[in-house]
């Protein structure tokens, strides 16, 4: 036997005493029931008791059920309570209106007890699943946040000690290069740690995008510098074009985005292109502006046929023992977060072109 406090709470709102008696009698053994005949009383109980489910009549003298539902959905405390409408109305328009204002289901009069029990049970189970999902999301965020903190603490040493050494000791050119490499790698790891939680927020639609002006040429140069050893080992050259003209050393390609996201996005795509490209080939990066900003990356390697259809899906990988299948997935996620689109074309004869496009923002500018 359940204790009263352990039972799910159900609020029944109907101006018919007969309906209230029937539903209360039907549900009282399994649930904690609040049965009221007026909308005003129902809103007060909902606010204070936070029921797990509401059975709501549409026709109530002091306020119709649609308006009650709207008010409940507009309140942060009650917006997540599932509402099942009770009605004698069976028209499609009435049902559509109920769903539009936030209802999850309908029970028609005359009341059929088995139907009521089944729908109440189903929607309470669904609500519990949603609550568990939210709890798991919060738990994952908490774990990620703690992991980030734990990783950042020792990483501070990696980032800060090279600078301290340079200030306290005389170092030769080779040692200076090594210290700079350690510091750069430390900052790279820090960016990766910070991005890990952001990617999860993007997946759940809760990432806050804060656009600024970003120079893609500068980002591409940083990426090429980070991968210089791999580029040299495969004897690959990377050429950058702006509107069909080769970029000069002082070129800029400014668009609206976020530096960290843009770096991570194009670092993923450039790394994929380097891995896929045959040796002694060129990778061509084309930047252009028409009705939108476009960045395309072309390498001479073809995407394996078994992953072409799932190229941007999570865990899609082929013939890469060390691959996670997250690179192109996260690239798509970041592109869409930035308001853009991403696509891929591939063939054995022409290689692979990955194209990202971003909406043009007034005030962005291009300098050759």
């Amino acid at each position: 036997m359940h204790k009263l406090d352990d039972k799910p709470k159900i609020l029944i709102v109907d101006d018919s005493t007969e309906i209230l008696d029937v539903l209360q009698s039907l549900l009282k053994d399994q649930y904690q029931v609040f049965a009221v005949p007026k909308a005003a009383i129902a809103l007060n109980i909902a606010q204070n008791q936070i029921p797990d489910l509401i059975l709501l009549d549409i026709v109530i003298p002091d306020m119709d059920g649609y308006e009650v539902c709207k008010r409940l959905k507009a309140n942060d405390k009650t917006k997540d309570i599932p509402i099942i409408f009770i009605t004698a109305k069976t028209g499609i328009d009435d049902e559509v209106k109920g769903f539009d204002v936030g209802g999850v289901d309908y029970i028609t009069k005359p009341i059929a007890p088995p139907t009521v029990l089944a729908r109440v049970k189903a929607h309470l189970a669904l609500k519990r699943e949603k609550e568990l999902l939210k709890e798991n999301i919060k738990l994952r965020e908490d774990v990620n946040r703690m992991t980030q903190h734990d990783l950042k603490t020792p990483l501070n040493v990696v980032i800060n000690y090279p600078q301290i050494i340079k200030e306290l000791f005389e170092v030769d050119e080779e040692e200076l290069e090594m210290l700079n490499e350690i510091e750069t790698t430390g900052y790279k790891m820090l960016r990766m740690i910070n991005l890990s939680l952001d990617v999860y927020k993007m997946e759940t639609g809760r990432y806050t995008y804060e656009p600024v002006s970003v120079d893609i040429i500068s980002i591409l140069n940083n990426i090429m510098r980070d991968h210089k050893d791999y580029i040299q080992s495969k004897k690959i050259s990377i050429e950058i074009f702006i509107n069909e003209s080769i970029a000069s050393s002082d070129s800029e390609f400014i668009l609206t985005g976020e530096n960290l996201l843009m770096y991570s996005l194009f670092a993923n795509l450039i790394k994929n292109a380097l891995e896929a490209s045959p040796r002694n080939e060129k990778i061509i990066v084309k930047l252009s502006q028409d009705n939108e900003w476009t960045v395309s990356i072309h390498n001479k390697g073809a995407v394996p046929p078994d992953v072409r259809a799932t190229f941007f899906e999570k865990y899609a990988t082929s013939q890469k023992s060390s691959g996670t299948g997250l690179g192109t997935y996260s690239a798509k996620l970041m592109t869409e977060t930035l308001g853009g689109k991403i696509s891929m074309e591939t063939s054995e004869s022409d290689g692979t072109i990955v194209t990202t496009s971003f909406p043009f923002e007034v005030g962005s500018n291009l300098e050759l």
Side-chain angles (χ1 to χ4, degrees), residues 223-224 226-238 266-279 281-283 297-301:
I223 293 168
M224 288 188 286
D226 289 343
H227 290 86
K228 65 180 180 180
D229 291 339
Y230 190 64
I231 292 171
Q232 290 172 359
S233 71
K234 291 191 72 172
K235 297 182 179 180
I236 292 171
S237 62
I238 299 178
F266 291 113
N268 272 326
L269 297 181
I270 292 292
K271 181 173 180 287
N272 272 3
L274 287 169
E275 291 175 346
S277 174
R279 297 175 62 84
E281 286 287 357
K282 291 181 180 179
I283 291 174
I297 301 170
H298 181 198
N299 80 84
K300 293 296 182 67

Side-chain angles (χ1 to χ4, degrees), residues 60-87:
I60 312 171
D62 56 334
M63 186 187 306
D64 72 55
Y66 299 129
E67 181 60 28
V68 174
C69 186
K70 284 182 184 178
R71 295 192 184 190
L72 290 168
K73 295 302 174 182
N75 186 324
D76 285 340
K77 288 183 68 175
T78 58
K79 66 181 181 180
D80 294 327
I81 302 172
I83 297 171
I84 300 177
F85 284 111
I86 306 170
T87 181

Side-chain angles (χ1 to χ4, degrees), residues 217 220-221 239-253 285 287 367-368:
I217 297 290
L220 292 172
N221 285 334
E239 295 183 356
I240 302 173
F241 290 80
I242 301 177
N243 292 333
E244 304 302 328
S245 298
I246 194 158
S248 64
S249 59
D250 59 349
S251 293
E252 291 184 337
F253 190 81
V285 182
L287 315 176
E367 295 182 14
L368 293 175

Side-chain angles (χ1 to χ4, degrees), residues 23 111-112 124 177 196 200 208 251 253 267 304 350 356 365:
L23 290 174
I111 298 295
L124 285 173
E177 185 177 347
S196 63
Y200 181 62
T208 302
S251 293
F253 190 81
D350 297 328
T356 56
N365 58 82

